[in-house]
Amino acid sequence: MTFHLKPQRIFSEDLRKQIVGQIERGEFTVTQAMREYGIGGKQTVYNWLYRYSRTLKKGTRMVMEKDSQSKTAQELRNRIKELEAALGRKSLEADLYRIIVEQASDEYGVDLKKNFGEHASESD
């Protein structure tokens, strides 16, 4: 029976602090950070959190209340609506520019897209 030892991975202090920051900002959960960076165990990440985190200290409990979760979810839904509306406006704006270019091309008898569009320099 042969055993293969995994090479020991050593994370620099800067990288450990970066990972802790990502967890603090909610970019990763502990498990996601482990997968993303190939960290061996949860305890390793928790040790980094206890050592480097400004907000997450050993013995600290975070109380999550239903109302705060509902409020956060509602804020995210509102942000999605805002972004969808902005996307819709930009889409309409792009359609309007396309129509204006087409009408100007017809009126002046010049293919403006060909002469002044994104790919005009490629065709010259």
Side-chain angles (χ1 to χ4, degrees), residues 18-30:
Q18 176 186 327
I19 293 167
V20 166
Q22 290 174 312
I23 293 170
E24 285 180 319
R25 291 187 299 275
E27 295 173 21
F28 287 122
T29 63
V30 170

Side-chain angles (χ1 to χ4, degrees), residues 11-29 33 36-37 39 45 48-49 51-54 56:
F11 294 86
S12 70
E13 186 172 9
D14 287 339
L15 182 56
R16 287 182 268 167
K17 287 178 180 179
Q18 176 186 327
I19 293 167
V20 166
Q22 290 174 312
I23 293 170
E24 285 180 319
R25 291 187 299 275
E27 295 173 21
F28 287 122
T29 63
E36 180 70 23
Y37 291 99
I39 301 167
V45 179
W48 296 349
L49 285 167
R51 184 170 183 181
Y52 300 113
S53 175
R54 288 180 234 137
L56 304 172

Side-chain angles (χ1 to χ4, degrees), residues 1 3 28 80 83 86 102 106-107:
M1 182 189 281
F3 294 98
F28 287 122
I80 289 170
L83 292 171
E102 287 173 1
D106 290 344
E107 186 172 326

